[in-house]
Amino acid sequence: MRVFSGVQPTGNIHIGNYLGALRQFVELQDENACVYCIVDMHAITVPKDAALLRENILDVAALYMAVGIDPKKSVVFVQSDVPGHAELAWILMCNTYTGELARMTQFKEKSRGNESAPAGLFTYPVLMAADILLYDSDVVPVGNDQTQHIEICRDIAIRVNNRYGKVFVVPEGRFLKEGARIMSLDDPVSKMSKSAENPLSRISLLDDETKIRKSVMKSTTDSDGLIRFDPANKPGVSNLLNIYSAFSGQPVSDIEKKYEGVGYGTFKKELAELTVDALAPIRKSYEDIRRSEELRAALKDGAERANAVAERTMARVKDFFGLGAK
Ligand code: TYM
């Protein structure tokens, strides 16, 4: 299978990103042809400081490798180093309805009807569709906040295929049972996010042990004292159970049994230690990789390999559409 996914280069990559997406990237890379992108052009849909963006690109590249993505097995590269993404996005935009973009919940949330919301925020899902379709991807491992984006990508691909012939492979999203949606620790009815103001709302992959422990111990639960998975009535405890399950590989029902009659304090303490142990090796290898000269070389090599595929796809797409002089 061909696998594609991407992460935006912003700071604060957290355990939601890891448990929902990055850990799938690693799991898939041995048996499949994987392409993992750092989507810097998506990042500028919100104004960014240029120097910081450059740093964040390298930060995410180093994190990719620190969690176990091997740039020799997988193609790892930066989106703007491959012009095909923007080129294909334009062609897809001509096959996307403004109505379907206006219905995207992420756009509605971020623009809130503001007339000066950037057009790039509106067409964000089309660039994402281009990312995926450019590599003839079969599978897209993501968290479930991306469900609507995968759906519109499929709709666009099917529409183009109906109009022009067998242009694109129609991809599918890949979501994990535990981890697909990790919630905020201080407000467990909203998802854990990179940009939330309160740093205790998330556990970043590079947090030190003190910060990890503090975030878990201070997380919002409830007052009934039962460790039971019930997202509707007990969102905080259910979220912690989910995180526990994702890090330990144990089914939620086993964890519920293990902590029957035990207080939240003990449960949280053990979850904190589990998280500390899971993240320690990532943090350690990150420091070495981030400093190494090989990081940039790996991205350059990745961009060359990605470009080779992208150029082939673009030549095919242009033929289907009759674009260019031949
Ligand atoms: P981004 O950078 O916001 O997030 C990266 C990945 O992390 C997942 N994720 C979560 N999973 C579980 N719980 C959470 N709280 C959580 N928060 C984030 C996301 O689902 C994602 O898989 N639009 C994408 C980037 C993108 C992309 C693509 C992804 C651009 N082009 C092509 C796949 C294919 C985004 O903003 O992800």
Side-chain angles (χ1 to χ4, degrees), residues 163-198:
R163 283 179 183 161
Y164 292 91
K166 182 98 194 63
V167 188
F168 295 121
V169 173
V170 180
E172 279 186 28
R174 184 179 192 267
F175 309 92
L176 294 175
K177 190 163 158 281
E178 275 93 20
R181 191 174 189 82
I182 299 297
M183 308 307 278
S184 155
L185 295 176
D186 69 338
D187 173 26
V189 291
S190 46
K191 71 169 184 176
M192 185 176 286
S193 101
K194 298 169 184 167
S195 55
E197 242 171 68
N198 181 5

Side-chain angles (χ1 to χ4, degrees), residues 4-10 13-22 24-25 35 37-40 42-43 60 64 79 85 106 110 124-125 127-133 137 139-147 149-150 153 174-175 178-184 190-194 239:
F4 181 94
S5 198
V7 174
Q8 288 199 51
T10 46
I13 303 287
H14 52 67
I15 57 168
N17 302 124
Y18 177 68
L19 296 174
L22 290 168
Q24 298 200 63
F25 297 6
V35 179
C37 185
I38 297 151
V39 291
D40 57 346
H42 279 109
V60 172
Y64 268 2
Q79 187 184 35
H85 292 253
Q106 252 184 40
K110 289 192 174 165
Y124 180 113
L127 179 59
M128 178 158 161
D131 298 340
I132 296 166
L133 300 179
S137 315
V139 174
V140 186
V142 280
N144 72 8
D145 61 330
Q146 299 299 317
T147 307
H149 288 156
I150 304 288
C153 172
R174 184 179 192 267
F175 309 92
E178 275 93 20
R181 191 174 189 82
I182 299 297
M183 308 307 278
S184 155
S190 46
K191 71 169 184 176
M192 185 176 286
S193 101
K194 298 169 184 167
N239 187 38

Side-chain angles (χ1 to χ4, degrees), residues 156-229:
I156 297 168
I158 291 167
R159 184 175 306 140
V160 170
N161 287 353
N162 286 338
R163 283 179 183 161
Y164 292 91
K166 182 98 194 63
V167 188
F168 295 121
V169 173
V170 180
E172 279 186 28
R174 184 179 192 267
F175 309 92
L176 294 175
K177 190 163 158 281
E178 275 93 20
R181 191 174 189 82
I182 299 297
M183 308 307 278
S184 155
L185 295 176
D186 69 338
D187 173 26
V189 291
S190 46
K191 71 169 184 176
M192 185 176 286
S193 101
K194 298 169 184 167
S195 55
E197 242 171 68
N198 181 5
L200 293 178
S201 69
R202 65 185 155 258
I203 299 173
S204 298
L205 293 188
L206 301 175
D207 278 350
D208 63 27
E209 299 178 4
T210 313
K211 161 67 173 55
I212 296 173
R213 292 193 181 107
K214 194 167 169 194
S215 307
V216 176
M217 296 313 291
K218 282 198 176 291
S219 64
T220 303
T221 46
D222 51 51
S223 55
D224 77 5
L226 299 173
I227 298 171
R228 195 162 44 79
F229 189 77

